Amino acid sequence: MVSGLRSVGRDLGRILEAFAVMPTASMVVAAAWREWYVLPSLLVAAVVPFAVGWWLTESYADAREPGKLHGMVIAATGWATVGVFGAIPFVGIAVSMQQGWFGAPPLNATMAAFLNPLNAVFESFSGFTGTGLTMSVHENTLPHTLQWWRSFTEWVGGVGVIVLTTAILARPGSGSLTLYESEARSEKIHPSIVSTVRTIWWIFLLFTFVSIVTLWLAGLPAWDAINHAMTGLATGGFSITDNSIATYDSPLVDFVLLPIMTLGSIAFPIHYLLLQGHFENVYEDLQTRWVFGFFAVGVAALVWLLYTGRVYHGTEAITFLGVTFTGQAAAIFQSVRYGAFQFVSAASCTGFQTASIGGSWSAASQLVVSFAMVVGAASGSTVGGIKLVRLATLLKGAAFRVSGVFYPQSAVRTFRLGDRKLSSAELTQEFEEAAIISLLWGVFLVLGIAVLLLVVPMGPDGFALENVVFEVASAQGNVGLSTGITGPDMPTAAKLVFLLNMWVGRLEIIPVLVTLRGVFRGFGVYRQ
């Protein structure tokens, strides 16, 4: 077996050994809620991947350390493998409920969907990729342990994608180095990857705790606050209620979640620097400026479309913080409330939902939200999408190239991207990488749209084109907002292409393509 494959096997084994900690830790939740019947499924979910991981680790213990390309293969195969093993609790608990094993309650319609292993894998993939699209019809009827498991997969997946960017995808070009090397302070968070990852975990834990307390003070029950804080900060979007955040019908909860989702949208080196007292990075860092600017412009556009489209005109009086809004004031307030929440939820790739987007919202409103999902926010954060830094590179780079027509060939020009000064050669490299990633992103997006157009009902009794574009953008952008297409009755072909969209979107395409190239041409091509 080629040495490259041995390195991949050993590190994949390490990932599976680490994954086994998750179902083991979740047994505490099962015990707290006295859901004893879920313990056998959690035990299997812990033992099987640990055994496979131990075998891989021991078999290839002498493998050499992987290079960057091997690391991409490890990331892609690791995410896919964990997604498959993460389905075990869903299938196992559903079977226990169906058979009445271990004192399990009767099988309900929501859990019955997970008797289909593909639905369970979809739910697990959606969690670990931070997408939030779900096969659960009524999330509030899930066992508390599975509610936790879904939130836990998104929370770990959120940290995982930051670590992925740090350890594997950090490379010059297209902002991939933004986690490891910020625009405002061109140095690593810490001099080693291990200490960097440790710092990321501490920041993530701190923000999670603060988010839980804030949501609890805003009126959510403790269990709801824990789960929504975890999935909100990780910009995953799984909920434990049927109608996501709309269930609470609370403007205060909506507005409290805005900064939580925004926290997950900012590159984590900036969080580190802010916690160190370097507050100037809020406006000095290119990506952070673009995040706030993009959010502001997008919210304004969506609010305007909702208001002029009279979506919320004629609504009942709304009371917020002791102030009552009626008539036109109520329409403006509701347009701002729902427009701001849904745009930030989309651009941060969180996927919390407070409005029926596929219902009374116009095609233009849906496309604005779709654009937000495609673009995303900062590289080095928990979001999906193409990333704002790539959009900035493409727009500023194109303008730089066009303006070059008016300069003599002998002119020496320097391109500025934030505080960075790039030569023409450096700009070419970054511009090409941003263009390639964006092009490939578009290719997979079109693939998903084409499949859905073929397999889902269209027309007056089905879905419109904007619904399909919205749903595929949500899957590939790892967002989770839905117009009603995603569900257990969705055609199998649509589920399979969404699995590909979620996988590609989470890993920023290149690791998946590197892995597929390795599969078809042999992993020996990656000797470094």
Side-chain angles (χ1 to χ4, degrees), residues 154-155 158 162 203-220 224-238 245 248 251-268 271 291-292 295 340-341 344-352 377 381-383:
E154 287 197 333
W155 192 77
I162 302 172
I203 294 173
F204 212 70
L205 283 168
L206 172 64
F207 286 170
T208 302
F209 175 77
V210 172
S211 299
I212 291 171
V213 173
T214 304
L215 286 173
W216 178 69
L217 292 175
L220 290 191
D224 299 49
I226 290 170
N227 283 274
H228 289 111
M230 292 172 67
T231 60
L233 181 62
T235 63
F238 270 151
I245 304 303
Y248 305 106
L252 180 59
V253 171
D254 294 356
F255 289 125
V256 163
L257 278 167
L258 290 177
I260 294 175
M261 294 187 290
T262 303
L263 279 175
S265 307
I266 298 172
F268 267 68
H271 290 310
V291 166
F292 286 110
F295 283 12
F341 188 92
V344 173
S345 180
S348 66
C349 302
T350 304
F352 283 147
S381 68
T382 62
V383 306

Side-chain angles (χ1 to χ4, degrees), residues 95 106 127 143 158 166 168 195 236 253 308 352 355 394 443 479 522 527:
V95 171
T166 304
I168 297 169
S195 57
V253 171
T308 57
F352 283 147
L394 289 173
V443 168
V479 181
R527 291 190 179 94

Side-chain angles (χ1 to χ4, degrees), residues 85-326:
F85 279 115
I88 293 177
F90 294 103
V91 176
I93 295 172
V95 171
S96 295
M97 295 174 73
Q98 182 189 45
Q99 301 298 325
W101 292 339
F102 315 111
L107 185 70
N108 57 49
T110 299
M111 287 303 300
F114 296 121
L115 293 173
N116 180 347
L118 180 58
N119 288 344
V121 171
F122 188 102
E123 197 81 1
S124 178
F125 253 79
S126 186
F128 280 108
T129 59
T131 304
L133 290 173
T134 181
M135 294 289 107
S136 300
V137 180
H138 300 294
E139 290 95 327
N140 62 325
T141 63
L142 291 170
H144 289 89
T145 306
L146 279 186
Q147 291 179 348
W148 159 263
W149 180 249
R150 294 163 79 244
S151 301
F152 198 18
T153 59
E154 287 197 333
W155 192 77
V156 171
V159 179
V161 75
I162 302 172
V163 175
L164 167 71
T165 312
T166 304
I168 297 169
L169 297 183
R171 65 188 189 281
S174 300
S176 299
L177 212 58
T178 310
L179 175 64
Y180 220 37
E181 190 175 347
S182 72
E183 312 292 350
R185 178 170 158 180
S186 186
E187 61 185 54
K188 301 173 184 178
I189 294 178
H190 284 309
S192 72
I193 288 177
V194 173
S195 57
T196 299
V197 170
R198 187 180 299 118
T199 298
I200 289 170
W201 272 106
W202 279 115
I203 294 173
F204 212 70
L205 283 168
L206 172 64
F207 286 170
T208 302
F209 175 77
V210 172
S211 299
I212 291 171
V213 173
T214 304
L215 286 173
W216 178 69
L217 292 175
L220 290 191
W223 179 246
D224 299 49
I226 290 170
N227 283 274
H228 289 111
M230 292 172 67
T231 60
L233 181 62
T235 63
F238 270 151
S239 178
I240 62 172
T241 70
D242 279 1
N243 297 312
S244 189
I245 304 303
T247 300
Y248 305 106
D249 193 22
S250 169
L252 180 59
V253 171
D254 294 356
F255 289 125
V256 163
L257 278 167
L258 290 177
I260 294 175
M261 294 187 290
T262 303
L263 279 175
S265 307
I266 298 172
F268 267 68
I270 303 305
H271 290 310
Y272 174 77
L273 295 174
L274 291 176
L275 291 173
Q276 294 293 314
H278 299 283
F279 301 110
E280 68 277 5
N281 288 283
V282 171
Y283 55 86
E284 287 185 357
D285 177 67
L286 173 69
Q287 284 205 105
T288 306
R289 291 201 308 269
W290 273 69
V291 166
F292 286 110
F294 183 53
F295 283 12
V297 172
V299 165
L302 188 54
V303 169
W304 174 254
L305 287 171
L306 294 177
Y307 180 74
T308 57
R310 302 184 65 84
V311 176
Y312 297 108
H313 282 252
T315 56
E316 298 178 356
I318 303 295
T319 300
F320 178 63
L321 298 180
V323 179
T324 300
F325 300 89
T326 59

